[in-house]
């Protein structure tokens, strides 16, 4: 299955996919909305072609940029696009331009702690503030709405009494890497 991976920063989920090195999972392009991020180094290290498509390159027009992302995925023959730490909402023009499936990974048990502003450590702070005794990660389909498409898979992670946002984030991140690879394997075999 030909994959396109959309990234914005660290790229540890991208790295987990590439390190898994499964013959049936074929990453063919990485697209970043930000230049000079670690995820681009990860792509280069593994010899995966990468493109940076910034809104500023399209005169600030997010819709035009997102259509270009969709076209770039189509041009690369991508069947499944993964938002792996991609930090912007995709405009309807993306979904019009890209005919394949798009999935996202989010570091909580959606629908809990998703939606606007729920990025990075903010998610884990919200979990700690809510007093939840478990959290986790979710892989879900992406449509035009944020963190809202049907859930494909989840993993549960305990919240420990001595956790702070950083320790919780680290434990969830490890679990989400395994969840993402397992979900991709499942999607390739159930095609
Ligand atoms: C991950 O926690 C992912 O669930 C969320 O953003 C983070 C990205 O991390 N959507 P990385 O860039 O894959 O390291």
């Amino acid at each position: 299955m030909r994959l396109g991976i959309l990234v914005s920063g660290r790229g540890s989920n991208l790295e987990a996919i590439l390190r898994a090195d499964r013959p049936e999972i074929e990453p063919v392009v990485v697209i970043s909305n930000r230049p000079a991020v670690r995820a681009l180094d990860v792509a280069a290290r593994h010899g995966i072609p990468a493109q940076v498509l910034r809104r500023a390159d399209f005169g600030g027009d997010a819709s035009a940029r997102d259509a270009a992302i969709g076209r770039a995925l189509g041009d690369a023959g991508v069947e499944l696009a993964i938002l792996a730490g991609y930090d912007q909402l995709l405009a309807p023009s993306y979904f019009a331009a890209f005919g394949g499936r798009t999935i996202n990974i989010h570091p909580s048990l959606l629908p809990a702690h998703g939606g606007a502003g729920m990025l990075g450590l903010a998610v884990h702070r919200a979990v700690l503030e809510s007093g939840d005794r478990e959290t986790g990660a979710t892989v879900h389909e992406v449509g035009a709405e944020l963190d809202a498409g049907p859930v494909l898979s989840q993993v549960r992670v305990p919240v420990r009494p001595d956790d702070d946002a950083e320790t919780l984030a680290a434990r969830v991140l490890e679990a989400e890497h395994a969840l993402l690879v397992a979900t991709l394997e499942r999607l390739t075999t159930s095609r």
Side-chain angles (χ1 to χ4, degrees):
M1 183 163 58
R2 292 173 72 85
L3 298 189
I5 300 115
L6 271 61
V7 297
S8 301
R10 182 178 52 191
S12 72
N13 277 286
L14 169 64
E15 209 163 19
I17 296 167
L18 295 171
R19 281 193 177 149
D21 198 21
R22 300 282 201 275
E24 67 279 18
I25 300 172
E26 194 191 345
V28 292
V29 68
V30 168
I31 297 177
S32 176
N33 59 339
R34 301 187 190 282
V37 291
R38 181 179 175 276
L40 292 168
D41 299 334
V42 172
R45 255 200 319 272
H46 286 83
I48 310 296
Q51 297 181 34
V52 177
L53 292 169
R54 297 178 310 163
R55 198 159 48 193
D57 302 329
F58 296 83
D61 181 346
S63 178
R65 192 274 310 274
D66 290 359
I69 293 176
R71 281 196 302 274
L73 294 173
D75 290 349
V78 169
E79 302 167 79
L80 176 71
I82 306 171
L83 311 185
Y86 188 74
D87 65 5
Q88 282 174 337
L89 192 59
L90 289 161
S93 58
Y94 165 86
F95 297 94
F98 176 55
R101 192 171 183 185
T102 302
I103 65 173
N104 179 46
I105 180 138
H106 182 81
S108 75
L109 292 173
L110 291 175
H113 311 298
M118 285 294 113
L119 283 173
L121 285 179
V123 178
H124 306 292
R125 284 195 197 104
V127 169
L128 292 172
E129 276 160 26
S130 71
D132 292 352
R133 296 179 58 187
E134 65 173 9
T135 182
T138 302
V139 177
H140 64 95
E141 299 271 359
V142 180
E145 261 175 71
L146 187 63
D147 291 341
V151 169
L152 293 171
S153 57
Q154 289 189 312
V155 60
R156 295 178 179 278
V157 173
V159 177
R160 296 188 184 144
D162 58 348
D163 267 330
D164 57 27
E166 282 81 6
T167 60
L168 191 54
R171 195 172 326 114
V172 170
L173 189 65
E174 217 179 299
E176 76 178 70
H177 292 161
L179 178 74
L180 182 56
V181 172
T183 305
L184 289 176
E185 283 176 348
R186 205 185 77 208
L187 292 177
T188 54
T189 54
S190 68
R191 240 176 344 152

